[in-house]
Amino acid sequence: MPTYAIGDLQGCHAEFVALLERLSFDPRRDRLWLAGDLVNRGPASLDCLREVMALGECAEVVLGNHDLHLLAVARGGAGLKRKDTLAAILEAPDREALLDWLQSRPLLVRRGETLMTHAGVPPHWEADQAERLAGEVEACLSGERAGDFLERMYGNEPSCWREDLEGIERQRVIVNTFTRMRFIDAEGCLDFAAKEGLDSAPDGFAPWFQFARRDRVRLLFGHWAALQGHTPGSRVNAEALDTGCVWGGELTALNLETGERISVPGWR
Ligand SMILES: [Mn+2]
């Protein structure tokens, strides 16, 4: 009963189906972990959502920034952006069921010492704390005032975590960390200005996985296509899953038991 972890689909439905075929994936036997950003930028976000939702209990999914953007547009009053390819979902007859399902996905999945989030887990959050903080935002998304939360979730401030943050400021740092983080500094502050390239880190900032952490948990993450599946200079046990399917790279599955990576060509 293999478990496979796959990075950002971003609407690459045909590639997702091809990868599952390559794996001889059997939902009665195998398990799938998806690192978020199921939708947007690619050609078939609606099909991706339907396909993953139909997998039911055999797929574990965490929310990415594009998934949250979809929810913010549909239910939080946010506007579509020029490059968004979300219209088919917003107009779909099963839209509410798809959005309800998406909104009830977690920010973090944990099995033992393996944790999956969309962007990663910063060194100043140990596994138990990361799980608790993700739970705080998951409670907002499933609560009666989820619409309010989706309206106020966006923003780059505050950019630094402090344990005494409260309310929307606290929730915003948690969301931004788990779904948007790339470069951080030694105090754990997030950068939002740099491009994806590893050489674009501002002074004093470095990729989050280059800072040592006290535990040795295994961290699975997507979000950062420019890494091409690598974590150069890593000082933690982290595995990059986004190999840029929507940008003409590949869609990759990591076999969590054997460590083998299996890829199919991305969208051209
Ligand atoms: Mn992302």
Side-chain angles (χ1 to χ4, degrees), residues 8 37 65-66 118 179 223:
D8 309 30
D37 280 357
N65 53 306
H66 285 289
H118 181 60
T179 68
H223 185 57

Side-chain angles (χ1 to χ4, degrees), residues 79-115:
L80 283 172
K81 298 182 200 158
R82 192 171 51 85
K83 292 180 183 168
D84 286 346
T85 57
L86 301 169
I89 298 173
L90 298 169
E91 292 157 12
D94 51 346
R95 145 192 171 129
E96 292 306 310
L98 293 167
L99 293 172
D100 285 347
W101 174 82
L102 191 64
Q103 196 168 328
S104 61
R105 295 309 95 192
L107 283 179
L108 183 151
V109 165
R110 180 178 187 179
R111 290 290 175 279
E113 296 303 291
T114 301
L115 282 71

Side-chain angles (χ1 to χ4, degrees), residues 9 11-14 16-17 38-39 43-54 85 88-89 92 94 98:
L9 300 183
C12 291
H13 180 256
F16 181 46
V17 170
L38 302 182
V39 299
S45 291
L46 175 59
D47 291 338
C48 280
L49 266 192
R50 285 175 175 161
E51 185 88 34
V52 176
M53 184 174 156
T85 57
I89 298 173
D94 51 346
L98 293 167

